[in-house]
C-alpha cells in the first residue's frame, strides 16, 4: 500500500509539473530573445544555437530538458533567467 501511494504521488508530481514547464519555455525564449537581440558576437551565436535546441525540445514535449537548455544558453552569455515559481 505504501509503495502504491509513493507511485501515485510521483505520477501526480510528474503530470502536474509538466504543464508549468510547458508554459515556462516561451517565457524563457522571450527573455533570451531580449538578451541576444541583434548581437553578432560568438557567445550570442552559441546561445542562439542552444535556443534553437531548446525550442525543438519544447516542441517535442520535453519541457524540463528545454528549460535546462535555455539555462545553458543564458550561461553562455552571462545572464540569469527568471523562472516561474
Amino acid at each position: 500500500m505504501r509503495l502504491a501511494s509513493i507511485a501515485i504521488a510521483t505520477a501526480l508530481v510528474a503530470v502536474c509539473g509538466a504543464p508549468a514547464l510547458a508554459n515556462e519555455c516561451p517565457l524563457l525564449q522571450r527573455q533570451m530573445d531580449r538578451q541576444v537581440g541583434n548581437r553578432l558576437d560568438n557567445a550570442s551565436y552559441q546561445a542562439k544555437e542552444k535556443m534553437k535546441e531548446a525550442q525543438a525540445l519544447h516542441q517535442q514535449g520535453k519541457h524540463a530538458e528545454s528549460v535546462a537548455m535555455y539555462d545553458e544558453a543564458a550561461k553562455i552569455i552571462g545572464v540569469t533567467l527568471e523562472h516561474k515559481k
Side-chain angles (χ1 to χ4, degrees):
M1 182 67 175
R2 181 168 166 80
L3 184 58
S5 297
I6 292 171
I8 291 170
T10 302
L12 283 174
V13 168
V15 170
C16 293
L21 290 174
N23 292 333
E24 186 171 17
C25 298
L27 170 72
L28 299 177
Q29 177 70 40
R30 285 189 301 274
Q31 289 180 53
M32 286 300 299
D33 284 339
R34 283 192 302 268
Q35 292 295 327
V36 295
N38 293 324
R39 289 173 46 176
L40 300 174
D41 59 285
N42 189 45
S44 293
Y45 174 78
Q46 291 176 2
K48 288 175 186 178
E49 292 300 308
K50 291 284 184 186
M51 290 165 60
K52 289 177 190 174
E53 293 177 42
Q55 181 64 24
L57 289 166
H58 169 71
Q59 290 174 343
Q60 295 169 15
K62 298 177 180 178
H63 303 293
E65 293 93 336
S66 176
V67 169
M69 189 65 65
Y70 280 118
D71 283 334
E72 285 183 37
K75 187 176 180 181
I76 291 170
I77 59 171
V79 297
T80 302
L81 297 174
E82 267 186 52
H83 291 271
K84 285 187 172 185
K85 294 179 182 180

